[in-house]
Amino acid sequence: MTLRLATLADLDAVMALERRNFPTDAWSEQTMGTEIASAHNHYLVDEQGGGIVGYGGLRALPGGTDADIQTIALDAEVRGQGRGRMLLRALLDEAVVRGAKEVFLEVRADNPVAMGLYLSEGFAELGRRPRYYQPDDVDAVVMRLDLRRWASTDGAVQGEASSESTGAAQTGASDAGQEATA
């Protein structure tokens, strides 16, 4: 399990995962490329055996006090190994480094695995956006994490793997209608 910074050279592999994980509402290649290339974002890939088996992204603007988890996705074959938690924690660590005090995300209401991961890391539900994920008519659960509190616990900079089954959790922060599945 190796996490590294994503580059545009990873775009084809990331898009292959994107399309497998989010078949009804995958981001476009242009959107994903813009996300990876943006200085405001921090995208990581998870490598195994020379291939990319996962990715995740964070948006945290300079001088801002909040950040957004944009997406987390894993190949089905590597779920349940703590990789989703590892990606999430690495993104949260970067949010701390960038000075964020809170982190937001949206997750599909029909994705209890992802919601369980986020709740276990300290996220709390703020509300719901009815029928947010299209074309599936699934509600988005809006969640928030107090990053200062998280950073003062064992969550920050630990990267401890969990046996929880985490898969893909894509938020709608940068492309309305994105799916969040884990």
Side-chain angles (χ1 to χ4, degrees):
M1 188 174 331
T2 303
L3 294 182
R4 67 166 174 78
L5 197 59
T7 70
L8 287 176
D10 300 317
L11 187 57
D12 287 343
V14 168
M15 287 307 301
L17 278 170
E18 174 78 5
R19 290 180 188 112
R20 281 194 304 273
N21 278 285
F22 310 109
T24 61
D25 60 352
W27 286 358
S28 70
E29 192 167 326
Q30 180 181 0
T31 297
M32 187 64 77
T34 300
E35 285 287 302
I36 291 171
S38 174
H40 300 305
N41 296 342
H42 183 79
Y43 271 72
L44 300 172
V45 292
D46 181 1
E47 291 183 311
Q48 176 178 291
I52 293 174
V53 296
Y55 63 90
L58 171 82
R59 173 167 292 172
L61 300 174
T65 58
D66 61 60
D68 292 287
I69 299 294
Q70 301 289 84
T71 184
I72 295 175
L74 293 171
D75 251 340
E77 296 79 32
V78 300
R79 293 182 189 159
Q81 301 173 15
R83 289 173 183 268
R85 185 176 304 277
M86 184 180 201
L87 272 165
L88 176 62
R89 286 183 174 180
L91 296 172
L92 294 175
D93 286 341
E94 180 65 20
V96 170
V97 169
R98 291 182 179 215
K101 295 181 179 16
E102 55 189 357
V103 176
F104 296 90
L105 60 78
E106 290 139 359
V107 62
R108 289 177 66 107
D110 63 355
N111 189 347
V113 174
M115 288 185 12
L117 169 65
Y118 300 137
L119 289 168
S120 75
E121 287 294 322
F123 280 87
E125 182 176 334
L126 288 180
R128 293 185 180 232
R129 294 186 174 140
R131 300 174 50 199
Y132 182 81
Y133 293 103
Q134 295 297 318
D136 302 321
D137 281 339
V138 175
D139 293 354
V141 178
V142 180
M143 302 184 89
R144 177 190 166 275
L145 175 70
D146 179 336
L147 198 55
R148 294 170 292 188
R149 183 182 209 178
W150 179 85
S152 69
T153 68
D154 288 339
V157 194
Q158 295 279 332
E160 181 181 322
S162 163
S163 62
E164 284 194 37
S165 173
T166 57
Q170 188 152 7
T171 69
S174 66
D175 191 11
Q178 283 301 302
E179 185 170 347
T181 59

